[in-house]
């Protein structure tokens, strides 16, 4: 199996780099597993997206709870949608504001996946 490339949507890379170093390492490892078609033990399917294609990694440290959300829906790449510190005090539910960001970036990922697919098809026809 070929490893998928990793594509960052909007500010997701910059946001990851702003998180604590240990959190960055865990998320980086989880994303590398996703590229190889595997899942880290600390991942779970993010509810509200209709399938198992949107996944979140959750990590806690002394600074709080952090999440990285990515999608494996597309053959073309693993798209990192959002990296953030969960600030909501209400249980484990992902705050609406973050869910809206994820939904919008998932649309962008779908467009980028189509562009990559079209580009590959053009290249193969040459």
């Amino acid at each position: 199996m070929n490893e998928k490339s990793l594509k960052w949507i909007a500010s997701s890379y910059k946001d990851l780099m702003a998180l604590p170093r240990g959190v960055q390492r865990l998320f980086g490892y989880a994303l590398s597993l996703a590229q190889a078609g595997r899942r880290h033990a600390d991942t779970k399917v993010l509810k509200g997206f209709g399938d198992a294609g949107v996944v979140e990694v959750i990590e806690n440290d002394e600074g709080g709870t952090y999440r990285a959300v990515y999608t494996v829906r597309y053959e073309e790449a693993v798209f990192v949608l959002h990296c953030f510190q969960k600030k909501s005090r209400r249980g484990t539910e992902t705050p609406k504001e973050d869910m809206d960001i994820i939904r919008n970036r998932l649309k962008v990922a779908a467009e980028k996946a189509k562009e990559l697919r079209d580009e590959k098809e053009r290249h193969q026809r040459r």
Side-chain angles (χ1 to χ4, degrees), residues 77-89:
V78 173
F79 292 93
V80 183
L81 304 173
H82 193 29
C83 297
F84 61 103
Q85 180 176 7
K86 184 178 174 299
K87 293 186 170 72
S88 171
R89 301 281 181 244

Side-chain angles (χ1 to χ4, degrees), residues 11-21 24 66 83 85:
S11 65
S12 58
Y13 180 77
K14 180 177 71 87
D15 297 339
L16 175 66
M17 292 297 104
L19 301 180
R21 184 70 84 206
Q24 289 177 23
Y66 301 89
C83 297
Q85 180 176 7

Side-chain angles (χ1 to χ4, degrees), residues 50-64:
D51 65 13
V54 179
V55 181
E56 68 177 337
V57 189
I58 302 170
E59 175 69 339
N60 295 304
D61 82 349
E62 64 275 355

Side-chain angles (χ1 to χ4, degrees), residues 1-4 30-39 72 78:
M1 178 173 168
N2 288 340
E3 187 172 282
K4 290 183 179 182
L31 290 169
S32 70
L33 288 175
Q35 287 178 272
R38 298 170 48 213
R39 281 191 33 195
V72 293
V78 173

Side-chain angles (χ1 to χ4, degrees), residues 5 7 74-79 109-123:
S5 63
K7 302 291 183 188
Y74 307 104
E75 268 182 51
E76 292 73 24
V78 173
F79 292 93
E111 292 167 11
K112 290 195 179 295
K114 183 181 181 329
E115 289 171 11
L116 290 168
R117 198 167 32 253
D118 292 348
E119 186 179 305
K120 184 179 177 183
E121 287 173 10
R122 276 194 305 275
H123 185 72

